[in-house]
Amino acid sequence: MGLKFAASPLVLATFLVASPAMADGVPAGTLIENTATAEFSDADGTPQTVDSNTVTVQVDELLDVTAAWQDGSAVAIGNASAVLTFEITNTGNGPEAFNLTADAAVTGNDFDVTVDGLAYDTNGNGIYDDGVDVVLGAGAPTPSLDADAALTVFVLVNSPAGVTDGDSSAVKLVAQAVTGAGAPGTSFAGQGVNGSNAVVGTTSADADVDGSLIARLAALSLIKTASVIDPFGGSEAVPDATITFTIVANVGGSGSITDLNVTDAIPAGTTYKPATLTLDGAPLTDASDADAGEANNSGITVDVGSAAAGASYTVTFDVTID
């Protein structure tokens, strides 16, 4: 026979949760305890209370991760190195480390970079600081991330030879839970927090995202011309005639170059004509001083410095035919 309750029995269920729920769900390892209570009156009308046994359920660890590219627009790369910035977020409900890989051979690339390494932001400034941010060793995972925690990750790359200005490329960052990944619902027995099971969530505990690169290569062309004025007002190259050399440096492509320095030797059989060195029509002193130019009977030097694509610089100087 079953237990007979009073006409209006009251059954109470009590749930005890060890810690409050977080944005990603109840923390892994939490014990959910449930005890039922029945209140009734016996045949003599005396109130009675009976508690059930307590049922305990441990919350399993959910394995989930997302990845996002942070640069916002394609990162310019020339004939050197570049850094792509990503963020991975542990969207599970327990602490988890992640294995990272960077794939440079993405379908549709005009060129494939070389991946020099992976690093993570240690000072929180979101910028790769060489010698400060930790470079992950081959196959080494990230530090363990708490639930909802994010980590800024840098992919360090180098451009191959032969890249054409304007070419594009992508690098795919893959983040996978160290505990395991797979189809949603896949369970790893006893591998979660406090011996709970670890269960793969909707992201398959495996996230990937592409970061973009664009080749920005500045190319330099140098064109030199000569014009002659002879002592008779003509243009014959005779002794005592003046030759004006004009050198035009054009910066093409895109991006910029640095340390642009234009030099030219004074030709044999001629002598440099003092105080004739100019840059874009402005006179330069012959001495080695604060301005960009220097000239003597050996040759001329003009230190332009940094130069952006699309810029043009004109250097002129005169010599006299001996």
Side-chain angles (χ1 to χ4, degrees):
M1 295 178 63
L3 176 65
K4 294 182 179 179
F5 296 93
S8 298
L10 176 63
V11 179
L12 303 176
T14 302
F15 295 87
L16 301 177
V17 179
S19 57
M22 299 173 63
D24 44 63
V26 177
T30 297
L31 298 179
I32 297 178
E33 299 178 334
N34 173 229
T35 302
T37 300
E39 296 178 352
F40 64 97
S41 297
D42 61 15
D44 297 330
T46 303
Q48 302 287 341
T49 300
V50 175
D51 290 336
S52 74
N53 60 295
T54 298
V55 175
T56 301
V57 176
Q58 186 179 41
V59 176
D60 289 332
E61 181 180 348
L62 197 63
L63 303 173
D64 268 322
V65 61
T66 60
W69 178 42
Q70 299 296 294
D71 293 304
S73 60
V75 174
I77 186 169
N79 293 313
S81 60
V83 178
L84 289 163
T85 304
F86 299 86
E87 183 177 83
I88 62 169
T89 303
N90 178 8
T91 53
N93 65 341
E96 184 67 23
F98 298 90
N99 291 318
L100 303 178
T101 56
D103 179 12
V106 176
T107 300
N109 279 356
D110 293 324
F111 63 95
D112 293 339
V113 295
T114 300
V115 176
D116 290 336
L118 294 161
Y120 63 88
D121 193 8
T122 58
N123 57 11
N125 66 356
I127 300 170
Y128 177 65
D129 297 308
D130 188 21
V132 176
D133 294 323
V134 175
V135 177
L136 293 170
T142 68
S144 180
L145 302 182
D146 290 336
D148 284 337
L151 183 69
T152 299
V153 175
F154 306 111
V155 179
L156 316 178
V157 300
N158 243 304
S159 175
V163 174
T164 300
D165 184 67
D167 282 354
S168 62
S169 182
V171 175
K172 185 184 299 295
L173 179 73
V174 180
Q176 187 177 84
V178 168
T179 300
T186 300
S187 180
F188 301 93
Q191 296 188 41
V193 174
N194 296 332
S196 63
N197 295 335
V199 181
V200 175
T202 56
T203 64
S204 299
D206 186 337
D208 63 76
V209 65
D210 289 352
S212 297
L213 295 155
I214 187 164
R216 291 297 186 218
L217 305 175
L220 181 69
S221 66
L222 206 60
I223 301 172
K224 182 177 180 180
T225 57
S227 62
V228 178
I229 297 177
D230 64 34
F232 316 110
S235 57
E236 301 297 332
V238 297
D240 293 328
T242 296
I243 304 175
T244 298
F245 289 113
T246 301
I247 305 167
V248 179
N250 292 310
V251 186
S254 58
S256 63
I257 60 176
T258 60
D259 302 323
L260 174 58
N261 195 44
V262 178
T263 63
D264 198 2
I266 302 302
T270 68
T271 300
Y272 172 68
K273 192 171 182 178
T276 59
L277 182 63
T278 71
L279 173 61
D280 294 334
L284 300 175
T285 62
D286 294 340
S288 177
D289 51 23
D291 72 14
E294 181 180 356
N296 53 45
N297 279 327
S298 295
I300 63 97
T301 298
V302 176
D303 184 7
V304 177
S306 296
S312 180
Y313 303 91
T314 300
V315 174
T316 65
F317 67 95
D318 294 350
V319 298
T320 301
I321 298 176
D322 295 338

